[in-house]
Amino acid sequence: MSNLDKIIRRSAPGAILGEGPLWSKRDNCVYWVDILSNNLHAYFLDGRSKTWHFPEHITWVIEREAGGFIAGLMSGFAEVTLAPFSIKHIANPYPHEPENRMNDAKADNLGRIWAGSMHKPVEKVSGAFYRLNADMSVDEVDGPYKIANGPTFSADHKKVWHTDTGKSEIYVFDVINGELANKRLWLTFPEDWGGPDGMTTDAQGGIWVAHWRGKDLGGPGRVTRFFEDATEDFHIDLPAKQTTSLCFAGDKLDRVFVTSAAENLPEDREGGTLFEIPSDLLRGHTGLEPMKFKG
């Protein structure tokens, strides 16, 4: 059996833009979104699934310590509860860019959310990197970006990696006294790798990156584990051509779930599937428990 045959399908294909997987120990599930269908999905580890439909694009959810979630919507940051279902707007960080939308996000060890944005038609370099603070204030911390993507923190939260998929570049910052410092280029993807998309960090110090299919990349999608010095450790191919993000999950954080997209690839029969990579392909690597928002 090839490694590709070992990949487990945890949803039907067809999500237009599957993204933003989040492990919830509280709910024993992986939450993930289909941005362009305005849907939040949950895959419960007992095999059940559930979907919530939103009135606008939803790009990620992050758990709150107090319960419920913070979500990234087309209109910005929002408080969300699922039972009963409710949405409360917090802030629009880009009122001057009405065609922008939120993209990817992570919470840090201080309980703040770091989130990127992008121009929805991807025709302008108008995205930025924002921080939602526990008092619900918002700071723009870096930019501009074409497609701000995939923040992930080191285990000690002294570094954060952030991507501009539109430029095929990944940057790394130091985090000093809670603020970004010393931005530098960490890695540029060659064209045949596609574009760097969502990311996560493992407990052993590796950085995992999902590959968004490039124009001329005809092979399968892929996730790659890099060492902190940006050299490749190993990669895992997936059946869909457009992999978008990934997260570790499960009680031991030894399961990896990968989102993918069907967007603009009707011939890709696996596009838009939520995949699970079996543990024997992970080479013993485990994840870090995701942080929660403290506001």
Side-chain angles (χ1 to χ4, degrees):
M1 178 183 290
S2 73
N3 287 349
L4 209 57
D5 293 331
K6 294 180 180 179
I7 303 300
I8 304 164
R9 283 79 172 163
R10 292 303 190 189
S11 79
I16 302 172
L17 185 53
E19 261 284 9
L22 172 76
W23 162 241
S24 170
K25 184 176 182 179
R26 178 187 67 194
D27 298 335
N28 194 39
C29 76
V30 173
Y31 290 101
W32 59 289
V33 300
D34 181 352
I35 294 175
L36 299 183
S37 295
N38 303 356
N39 287 331
L40 171 65
H41 301 290
Y43 172 75
F44 296 90
L45 297 196
D46 63 7
R48 295 177 298 120
S49 297
K50 191 170 183 178
T51 297
W52 296 264
H53 186 69
F54 282 68
E56 57 180 298
H57 294 337
I58 176 169
T59 63
W60 48 265
V61 293
I62 288 174
E63 288 184 315
R64 299 179 73 177
E65 280 194 350
F69 301 86
I70 301 296
L73 304 179
M74 179 84 182
S75 58
F77 297 100
E79 300 176 32
V80 169
T81 60
L82 299 179
F85 185 74
S86 68
I87 303 169
K88 180 181 177 182
H89 183 72
I90 297 172
N92 177 3
Y94 38 77
H96 53 293
E97 294 288 354
E99 291 187 305
N100 274 19
R101 67 165 174 83
M102 303 296 287
N103 203 26
D104 216 345
K106 291 286 194 313
D108 69 10
N109 61 336
L110 299 178
R112 306 170 300 175
I113 292 175
W114 302 73
S117 68
M118 61 178 284
H119 189 240
K120 183 187 172 185
V122 202
E123 296 170 352
K124 297 169 61 178
V125 182
S126 59
F129 197 19
Y130 301 98
R131 185 181 64 227
L132 176 66
N133 303 303
D135 64 0
M136 300 299 184
S137 64
V138 178
D139 295 312
E140 182 175 329
V141 295
D142 194 46
Y145 288 83
K146 187 173 183 180
I147 305 174
N149 228 325
T152 192
F153 288 88
S154 59
D156 60 9
H157 285 255
K158 292 183 178 180
K159 290 182 180 178
V160 62
W161 287 261
H162 195 231
T163 292
D164 192 333
T165 303
K167 293 183 177 181
S168 292
E169 293 179 346
I170 303 175
Y171 313 101
V172 62
F173 301 79
D174 296 320
V175 183
I176 300 174
N177 297 323
E179 302 292 335
L180 297 185
N182 305 322
K183 178 183 180 180
R184 60 264 190 205
L185 180 65
W186 185 71
L187 181 65
T188 300
F189 266 32
E191 186 175 1
D192 61 355
W193 281 12
D197 206 316
M199 299 187 285
T200 194
T201 308
D202 65 36
Q204 294 74 36
I207 295 89
W208 297 65
V209 184
H211 294 236
W212 175 264
R213 176 181 179 269
K215 288 189 301 181
D216 303 317
L217 184 64
R222 175 177 293 177
V223 297
T224 299
R225 183 184 191 268
F226 294 94
F227 295 110
E228 194 170 310
D229 66 1
T231 58
E232 180 181 349
D233 183 15
F234 64 92
H235 66 261
I236 300 169
D237 289 337
L238 286 108
K241 294 182 178 180
Q242 296 177 146
T243 48
T244 57
S245 194
L246 70 163
C247 73
F248 285 85
D251 289 339
K252 298 179 181 179
L253 294 167
D254 59 352
R255 302 170 68 173
V256 167
F257 289 81
V258 183
T259 50
S260 66
E263 183 181 18
N264 298 324
L265 279 180
E267 72 278 10
D268 184 0
R269 295 184 179 181
E270 298 274 15
T273 300
L274 176 70
F275 298 103
E276 182 178 352
I277 299 174
S279 58
D280 65 305
L281 298 183
L282 303 179
R283 304 189 185 184
H285 298 292
T286 54
L288 299 166
E289 194 70 44
M291 299 289 105
K292 296 180 174 65
F293 181 64
K294 292 185 178 179

